[in-house]
Amino acid sequence: MSDERAADDEATGVPDGEGLPGGGSGDRDRGSSHPVMNLWRRSYGASPAHLLLHLGGIALAAWALSQSFDGRYSAAYGNLVVWMVGGAILNDFVALPLYVGADKAARFVWGLVRGARPGVAVAAPPRSAPPRVLGNGHVRVPLVMSAVLLLVYFPNVAHKAPLNHTLATGLAEQPDYAGRWLAITAGLMIVSALLYLARLARARTRTATTT
Amino acid sequence: MRLPRLVPKDPPPGPARPDFWRSPVRGPWLTAMLGIVLLIGFPIVFVTGVLSHAAYMPQLGNNDVLPRDLDLQFITFDWPTNPVWLYALNQGAHVTIGILLVPVLIAKLWSVIPKLFAWPPAPNAAEVLTKLANLLLVGSAFFQLATGIANIQLWYPWQFNFVVAHFYGGWVLIFSILLHVAIRMPKVRAAMRTNKDLKPLRTNLQNTRPEPYEPHGLVSPNPAPATISRRGVVGLVGAASGALLVTTVGQSVGGPLRSLAVLAPRGNGIAKDGPNGFPINKTAHVANITSAMVDGTWALQLSADGEELELDRQALLSGKLVPLRTYDLPIACVEGWSTTQSWTGVRLSDLSRLVGADPGHVLHVESLQPRGAFRQTTLSKNQAHADRSLLALRVNGVDLSMDHGFPARIIVPALPGVHCTKWVSGLEWSHA
């Protein structure tokens, strides 16, 4: 199967034959030497079904999209376009490199601190070595939880719409969302640290009893 | 047939090279797993969104919240009044599940990021269409989440109509999901087959290995040692969604959970104290209701087929013309929060008999509110004559506060909150 796919990819230049309907096992017959089919694949890059599905799906999406671009309600077309594609661009080209980079940098620095290369700890340590409890998760989990809370509740935390809140709720003051978020973050960190210490202590006693 | 090469055959250094991406847990199984969660979640959010639109019953009177001449509004029906928590459940699910999907979507996109940079960027027409479809899919997914989440926090940093854009964004998303599923389902099946019984969920970090390498696939040709297992990734996403759930869902469920909803817009600490201390979405001040409009001179105008009647609050509260009823009913906002209170008032069906309205009539409700889309509403004949449909005068044993609609407001089971008209001035029964 994979040979066949590689051969096909070679011929068509489709990375992975990505997006071929039945891109897996259902497409075994695509290696068949029907000349018209081969010509089609070579020029288009995937099966005719792929083209039909995409034309149909994209046409439907464009229909829906065209309704939201009705001039009476979305006069600023550019603004709507920016919002439509902005999330995808920000995630793929800004947020992802930032969080992947932060994770890498943190592990690199931690590796320097420990005098070991990051990731080496995965290899089982020799039996005589002191117990090691990986701390990655104990940093990642609370940080990711906190970051996601901030991402979703950023308007509340950053106090973005105080007037609307007052007009809608009748309350002069909003809750102190920023303080709450900070408290949650601190709480998550502390709980995570305590869990880590507990695991470490357990690992030590276990080694002590087995040796 | 091959076009002349515009881009070099070999990828430039960086993310376009397959060995740039080194996570050993990235691969078909993780992508399929996260994809399945989104495939369950997003359609629920879409369906509840469309149902919410139907719950406004845009086919009646001036209930339409979207311009009637725009397409894709064909899902309309007589929204039921039973169970009474139907709209609370629908909107709680719509908003809460949408929020919970944020970390899942981000993780799913992390899992497929090498594909975005795959070299060459556009080898053929098929790949161009695939990328366009992916842009529609990912763009509309983020658009729906971002606009919905900003809306519930009353923040509108854009220059378009939220309701129109969010409604049609939902359709763009569901069409894109259908296309994506049609194309990718075989891969999901294959990934699940090769990891029978969710095996990676039982594999710890030490035993985490990359999936078999395939050229141009998701698996890294140059995997680094694992620093997290696949179940660790699933757990990490679950923990993030769990944190959102705990800080959000109480605004819809109420009870002791409301105090846990510390970040949700209508959770902990977002109402005044006392019997009238539950959330509102519009103050009397904003609606331009003054105390002069609702003092002793207020009277309710009833009419049906030419018959008219005027009743002051005293007459309504006396219980002589029509009996007073008390029901515990939820009121639920389109923004996802809801609250159940004990409402006292007169039944709309009892009032209808005073002016000889027949059970086939719809009910048009007018408010004292001088302006605004929800200063009036039209209730279906089912809603107008349902057992527990009330013109509420009191709540939790005291008079309604100004902000809750004094002197009288509509409370109809399972009716969207903004249609539970406050500061009611007139009720008119008529044929639809």
Side-chain angles (χ1 to χ4, degrees):
Chain A
M1 179 62 220
S2 60
D3 288 345
E4 181 186 291
R5 169 177 292 189
D8 196 67
D9 287 342
E10 189 87 81
T12 59
V14 192
D16 183 44
E18 190 194 5
L20 294 167
S25 50
D27 234 25
R28 272 170 214 283
D29 60 339
R30 66 190 166 129
S32 70
S33 53
H34 197 290
V36 177
M37 206 57 187
N38 281 349
L39 183 63
W40 168 267
R41 281 190 175 281
R42 219 163 277 193
S43 48
Y44 174 65
S47 69
H50 178 281
L51 177 63
L52 290 177
L53 281 170
H54 274 78
L55 290 182
I58 291 171
L60 284 173
W63 176 33
L65 211 49
S66 70
Q67 302 301 302
S68 62
F69 278 90
D70 188 291
R72 291 165 297 174
Y73 304 94
S74 306
Y77 289 150
N79 185 257
L80 186 53
V81 171
V82 165
W83 273 84
M84 289 269 182
V85 298
I89 306 264
L90 280 178
N91 178 72
D92 292 351
F93 296 104
V94 180
L96 190 140
L98 278 179
Y99 69 72
V100 168
D103 185 72
K104 274 205 166 122
R107 281 186 289 125
F108 179 74
V109 170
W110 182 242
L112 289 183
V113 170
R114 294 200 60 124
R117 274 171 47 85
V120 170
V122 174
R127 289 205 172 265
S128 56
R132 301 184 73 175
V133 177
L134 276 186
N136 284 336
H138 288 271
V139 179
R140 277 177 176 153
V141 173
L143 272 181
V144 165
M145 290 168 83
S146 166
V148 163
L149 288 179
L150 178 61
L151 177 67
V152 167
Y153 285 117
F154 170 76
N156 273 352
V157 170
H159 213 60
K160 279 293 181 189
L163 181 63
N164 286 353
H165 268 271
T166 303
L167 296 180
T169 62
L171 299 169
E173 297 260 325
Q174 288 180 58
D176 178 15
Y177 289 115
R180 290 176 176 189
W181 174 73
L182 283 172
I184 291 170
T185 304
L188 290 170
M189 301 282 181
I190 290 167
V191 169
S192 182
L194 290 177
L195 284 175
Y196 182 74
L197 291 177
R199 287 178 65 195
L200 203 59
R202 209 178 57 173
R204 287 221 168 107
T205 39
R206 193 175 292 163
T207 340
T209 48
T210 50
T211 46
Chain B
M1 284 309 289
R2 194 162 276 222
L3 295 171
R5 212 172 261 292
L6 296 173
V7 290
K9 188 169 189 294
D10 294 320
R17 296 206 169 151
D19 59 359
F20 177 86
W21 304 99
R22 300 197 57 199
S23 173
V25 296
R26 192 179 269 123
W29 185 84
L30 189 60
T31 298
M33 189 72 196
L34 295 166
I36 288 170
V37 176
L38 295 177
L39 181 57
I40 296 166
F42 272 124
I44 292 177
V45 178
F46 172 77
V47 168
T48 49
V50 168
L51 287 180
S52 175
H53 180 245
Y56 278 73
M57 284 203 274
Q59 69 273 32
L60 295 178
N62 296 318
N63 286 355
D64 49 314
V65 286
L66 293 170
R68 284 211 165 112
D69 56 345
L70 293 185
D71 296 338
L72 287 165
Q73 301 186 57
F74 54 88
I75 300 175
T76 57
F77 54 90
D78 203 0
W79 183 254
T81 52
N82 201 18
V84 296
W85 39 261
L86 184 63
Y87 193 68
L89 174 71
N90 192 76
Q91 284 321 97
H94 180 75
V95 169
T96 309
I97 294 174
I99 285 174
L100 302 192
L101 293 181
V102 169
V104 188
L105 176 64
I106 292 173
K108 167 72 160 60
L109 293 173
W110 172 85
S111 81
V112 293
I113 191 71
K115 288 283 178 193
L116 179 68
F117 294 98
W119 197 266
N124 50 45
E127 184 59 19
V128 172
L129 283 182
T130 300
K131 286 221 159 82
L132 178 60
N134 284 346
L135 179 64
L136 284 168
L137 176 67
V138 180
S140 61
F142 274 118
F143 182 79
Q144 290 304 93
L145 293 178
T147 51
I149 286 168
N151 171 64
I152 64 167
Q153 294 169 78
L154 312 174
W155 188 41
Y156 303 95
W158 51 70
Q159 298 156 28
F160 47 82
N161 178 301
F162 166 74
V163 177
V164 174
H166 197 69
F167 183 83
Y168 290 105
W171 283 101
V172 175
L173 178 56
I174 203 71
F175 288 143
S176 301
I177 288 174
L178 290 175
L179 171 60
H180 195 69
V181 169
I183 299 282
R184 303 301 163 100
M185 215 21 151
K187 283 194 176 189
V188 173
R189 285 223 197 87
M192 286 294 148
R193 246 197 326 267
T194 52
N195 290 282
K196 274 214 160 65
D197 308 322
L198 302 175
K199 195 170 132 227
L201 289 183
R202 286 175 281 115
T203 307
N204 64 14
L205 178 59
Q206 278 72 27
N207 295 315
T208 295
R209 302 282 177 273
E211 288 181 75
Y213 174 72
E214 277 189 64
H216 310 300
L218 290 169
V219 179
S220 172
N222 178 31
T227 63
I228 188 168
S229 60
R230 284 181 191 82
R231 71 174 177 190
V233 175
V234 173
L236 183 65
V237 174
S241 291
L244 290 167
L245 179 68
V246 170
T247 52
T248 303
V249 76
Q251 70 168 347
S252 312
V253 176
L257 284 179
R258 193 178 297 273
S259 56
L260 281 178
V262 290
L263 294 176
R266 303 309 174 95
N268 183 318
I270 199 74
K272 296 170 179 171
D273 294 330
N276 274 287
F278 54 94
I280 55 170
N281 93 332
K282 187 183 289 142
T283 57
H285 174 74
V286 169
N288 286 310
I289 304 292
T290 62
S291 48
M293 294 158 81
V294 299
D295 65 9
T297 63
W298 176 85
L300 178 70
Q301 315 288 326
L302 307 178
S303 71
D305 290 336
E307 261 200 77
E308 292 192 10
L309 185 64
E310 197 175 290
L311 295 172
D312 62 16
R313 202 160 185 279
Q314 202 75 48
L316 288 165
L317 273 173
S318 71
K320 285 177 191 151
L321 283 168
V322 281
L324 282 178
R325 308 275 185 168
T326 300
Y327 300 122
D328 288 351
L329 290 173
I331 180 165
C333 183
V334 67
E335 288 160 15
W337 58 272
S338 52
T339 176
T340 299
Q341 305 295 335
S342 182
W343 310 91
T344 299
V346 291
R347 296 200 302 189
L348 294 173
S349 57
D350 290 339
L351 288 175
S352 77
R353 279 189 280 275
L354 293 181
V355 282
D358 80 55
H361 281 165
V362 300
L363 172 58
H364 186 71
V365 182
E366 287 277 336
S367 170
L368 295 169
Q369 190 185 333
R371 279 181 307 278
F374 298 115
R375 61 166 303 284
Q376 57 79 44
T377 190
T378 301
L379 302 177
S380 71
K381 63 178 192 217
N382 169 35
Q383 291 168 330
H385 301 278
D387 248 2
R388 282 175 284 180
S389 293
L390 279 183
L391 180 74
L393 305 160
R394 295 161 65 82
V395 66
N396 300 322
V398 301
D399 281 342
L400 290 169
S401 68
M402 280 285 278
D403 284 344
H404 281 300
F406 181 87
R409 78 171 303 170
I410 297 293
I411 291 291
V412 168
L415 185 68
V418 287
H419 279 190
C420 293
T421 311
K422 301 197 274 194
W423 314 291
V424 171
S425 60
L427 301 175
E428 186 192 348
W429 288 265
S430 66
H431 290 286

